[in-house]
Amino acid sequence: MKGKNSPIKITVIITLVIIALIVAIVVLTNNGTGKDTTTGNQPSIEGQPVMGEEDAPVTIVEFGDFKCPACKAWGEQYFPQIKQDYIDTGKAKFAYINVLFHGEESKLGSLAAESVWAQNPEAYWDFHKQLFAQQPSEDHDTKWLTMDTITKIADNMDKIDGEQLKEDIKNNTHLDAVNKDTELVTEHNVELTPSIMVNDKMIEDPFDYAAIQAAIEQELEGN
């Protein structure tokens, strides 16, 4: 009997050890990620488009792509509430960092936006909004982010010098600003757009307003 039971006992022991290891890995993984991820440092917003009071205690950063449908949806459905609750009240400021996940069109949109920001910061957010508004609601793969689109928007905005904008884009005048954003995307391991950070915390689900609000309130309590 002893000889027959030993292999069974060994198999059971090995199985229990494997299960224990799997449970330990799952627990450690869950404890490590949590609802939001603290990166240890927040993105530099020096030279970035920023909305809100300079001395606001909380910084909200969106890593976004003008070609990204989810970014358009987030900007239309969630950003207005954040602006009303926190930016307009002086509790937070908001910065936008370009992500180039959709190739040349993303690059062109980012370069155009950076050129507008450099030319006239007061025109930037309107241009930003109008550029997203041009994104088609269907057939997102169609090539729509073109110089014609950019020119059309600029021509309807008094605060933008359209000819200067064309020259800046043609000469890649502000390409360094776009490349700086790409470095920040890499530094903060941004893999999805939009990605939202509240100070040094990456929000797991950017479409969970309660989570964003909780992160902001937590940072406010710490100031």
Side-chain angles (χ1 to χ4, degrees), residues 38-57:
T38 301
T39 64
N41 66 311
Q42 63 187 70
S44 170
I45 61 171
E46 182 180 356
Q48 301 292 352
V50 178
M51 178 188 294
E53 296 181 12
E54 185 178 350
D55 61 351

Side-chain angles (χ1 to χ4, degrees), residues 17-210:
V17 169
I18 291 173
I19 292 173
L21 287 172
I22 292 173
V23 171
I25 290 171
V26 170
V27 170
L28 288 172
T29 300
N30 288 338
N31 288 340
T33 56
K35 182 66 177 176
D36 305 318
T37 302
T38 301
T39 64
N41 66 311
Q42 63 187 70
S44 170
I45 61 171
E46 182 180 356
Q48 301 292 352
V50 178
M51 178 188 294
E53 296 181 12
E54 185 178 350
D55 61 351
V58 175
T59 301
I60 305 166
V61 172
E62 176 189 357
F63 289 89
D65 188 328
F66 289 109
K67 279 281 292 182
C68 166
C71 295
K72 177 180 180 178
W74 189 87
E76 292 176 347
Q77 299 170 22
Y78 293 83
F79 177 72
Q81 192 66 50
I82 290 174
K83 182 176 183 296
Q84 177 180 307
D85 291 347
Y86 296 104
I87 301 172
D88 292 345
T89 57
K91 296 178 181 178
K93 52 185 175 287
F94 177 84
Y96 184 85
I97 295 175
N98 296 293
V99 182
L100 277 59
F101 283 169
H102 294 268
E104 288 302 314
E105 285 183 85
S106 297
K107 181 179 177 181
L108 177 60
S110 300
L111 186 57
E114 292 289 355
S115 298
V116 169
W117 171 252
Q119 182 187 131
N120 185 357
E122 292 184 4
Y124 173 83
W125 292 107
D126 192 14
F127 180 84
H128 175 107
K129 183 178 180 179
Q130 293 302 321
L131 193 54
F132 269 118
Q134 295 298 315
Q135 187 184 119
S137 57
E138 298 179 357
D139 192 16
H140 300 296
D141 292 330
T142 186
K143 187 174 181 179
W144 63 269
L145 211 171
T146 63
M147 274 303 303
D148 286 343
T149 300
I150 292 166
T151 301
K152 176 183 175 182
I153 296 171
D155 287 346
N156 288 318
M157 295 180 62
D158 295 334
K159 294 180 179 180
I160 296 178
D161 183 333
E163 292 303 316
Q164 182 63 53
L165 177 59
K166 290 177 187 177
E167 284 297 311
D168 286 342
I169 294 173
K170 178 182 177 181
N171 297 323
N172 289 319
T173 304
H174 301 288
L175 184 60
D176 284 349
V178 176
N179 291 337
K180 179 181 178 181
D181 284 6
T182 299
E183 292 174 2
L184 289 170
V185 168
T186 301
E187 178 184 345
H188 293 277
N189 300 313
V190 175
E191 298 179 348
L192 300 171
T193 51
S195 283
I196 306 300
M197 291 189 69
V198 175
N199 285 350
D200 63 346
K201 293 181 176 65
M202 182 71 76
I203 305 300
E204 183 180 31
D205 179 3
F207 291 92
D208 184 348
Y209 185 75

